[in-house]
Amino acid sequence: MTESEAPDVEVPELRLAGVPDFSEAYDAVLRRWPVEVLGRQVPSAYGSTRVHVCGPEDGTPLVLLPGGGATSMAWFAAVGHLARTHRVHALDLMGDIGRSVHDGAPLRGAADLTAWLDEVLGELGLDGVRMCGHSYGAWIALMYGLHAPHRVRRLALLDPTGCFAGLGARYLVRALPMLLRPTPERIRAFHRWETGGDPQDPVWGAFLESTATARRSKAVAMRRPAARDLRAFTVPTLVLLAERSRAHDVRRVAGRARSLLPAATVGILPGASHHSLPTERPDELGRVLGEFLA
């Protein structure tokens, strides 16, 4: 793995004794990527966006949007499959933790996030892309597809939150202490509760704990899109849910997705949980995504 073109960007962090350094943990996961990676800082009115680019230069463009608090590093396990045939562009979300720097226009809602993506895709020279998002990133991907369907050829939503149903009350209660005062111990305990165990890759586990030291500038509230807009949406869409997700009622989300997006493919990945979906089952995930995105 090599990273070139963009120097590391200084991101404000909290320094807590005994907590893994976020920047070092980020780099450690990046070294886990099984393909050569080009790191870029892409300008926009909102700030500069860190984009990791890999895969064949003539491959079909694929934009990856991670879940909140996970950064583009969340794709380390699946990117090897995806980069075989796609030119992958994995973004750190604007306003979230990572190496995107939110030092420009404020993020007030979904319209600003779609405007941000418009600028980033324009700077990258991308049009007619495949787009895949997980959790909060899936909500952003869906909102962008609704905003600019002419720029999205296929859309994959991995255990999407805020798209078809709200987060479960039990999930929110469990997550609140970690969100209000993150510590490695709280992050570890929440991950164990939701996934059923520690991450298989200890480097990824260390990264998750290190996010206790990282700051986000703005978490945009997820507002569900209007039913009439979803029913009129014609972009081929995959909704892939995690069987053991504790973020929401999976069966309810599946039912609402089928009723609101009649042309969508809705599936459930056996054994997966919400937070383990991008990292723990790369072979299955790569197969399903590869077949749909082809």
Side-chain angles (χ1 to χ4, degrees):
M1 186 286 300
T2 62
E3 186 178 16
S4 59
E5 187 167 313
D8 286 345
V9 175
E10 186 66 26
V11 178
E13 297 174 8
L14 295 172
R15 296 295 180 181
L16 303 175
V19 179
D21 178 78
F22 174 70
S23 184
E24 292 176 1
Y26 185 108
D27 286 335
V29 179
L30 187 55
R31 289 192 289 271
R32 276 285 202 267
W33 287 41
V35 291
E36 184 174 357
V37 183
L38 171 68
R40 296 184 59 181
Q41 290 294 136
V42 178
S44 76
Y46 298 88
S48 65
T49 300
R50 174 55 68 99
V51 182
H52 295 286
V53 185
C54 59
E57 292 187 10
D58 61 349
T60 303
L62 170 62
V63 175
L64 299 178
L65 303 178
T71 80
S72 57
M73 295 303 96
W75 305 106
F76 78 95
V79 72
H81 296 271
L82 300 174
R84 291 172 185 167
T85 54
H86 292 84
R87 184 67 167 172
V88 173
H89 300 77
L91 280 59
D92 282 356
L93 300 178
M94 183 59 64
D96 201 2
I97 67 171
R99 289 181 175 161
S100 291
V101 182
H102 182 205
D103 59 0
L107 292 169
R108 294 157 297 196
D112 289 307
L113 287 171
T114 55
W116 160 67
L117 272 178
D118 269 333
E119 289 194 57
V120 172
L121 296 187
E123 288 287 336
L124 291 170
L126 299 180
D127 209 357
V129 301
R130 271 69 169 162
M131 188 172 285
C132 175
H134 171 238
S135 188
Y136 175 56
W139 175 76
I140 297 174
L142 178 59
M143 298 306 289
Y144 188 76
L146 291 168
H147 160 76
H150 58 285
R151 300 191 74 171
V152 181
R153 297 288 173 79
R154 285 182 174 258
L155 182 66
L157 309 176
L158 307 183
D159 214 47
T161 52
C163 297
F164 309 107
L167 292 168
R170 191 176 175 208
Y171 179 88
L172 289 171
V173 169
R174 284 275 187 168
L176 195 59
M178 177 188 68
L179 296 173
L180 293 176
R181 188 174 178 274
T183 66
E185 294 75 21
R186 287 179 173 182
I187 291 170
R188 190 184 313 119
F190 179 74
H191 189 277
R192 284 174 177 166
W193 171 77
E194 203 285 319
T195 66
D198 291 322
Q200 295 175 5
D201 190 318
V203 174
W204 177 243
F207 171 80
L208 291 176
E209 293 181 15
S210 80
T211 62
T213 69
R215 284 179 174 166
R216 57 175 54 83
S217 65
K218 175 67 174 181
V220 174
M222 293 182 291
R223 299 186 184 279
R224 266 178 267 170
R228 64 178 179 276
D229 294 334
L230 291 173
R231 291 193 176 103
F233 190 56
T234 59
V235 174
T237 301
L238 169 68
V239 180
L240 185 62
L241 299 165
E243 180 188 35
R244 296 191 295 106
S245 176
R246 290 187 160 189
H248 42 214
D249 184 326
V250 173
R251 305 294 172 184
R252 179 167 177 257
V253 174
R256 286 187 60 82
R258 290 189 179 100
S259 67
L260 292 171
L261 292 175
T265 300
V266 180
I268 296 177
L269 194 65
S273 70
H274 180 75
H275 289 280
S276 71
L277 182 56
T279 60
E280 302 288 300
R281 311 175 72 85
D283 293 335
E284 288 182 70
L285 181 62
R287 176 184 57 78
V288 174
L289 285 177
E291 291 175 356
F292 173 74
L293 295 171

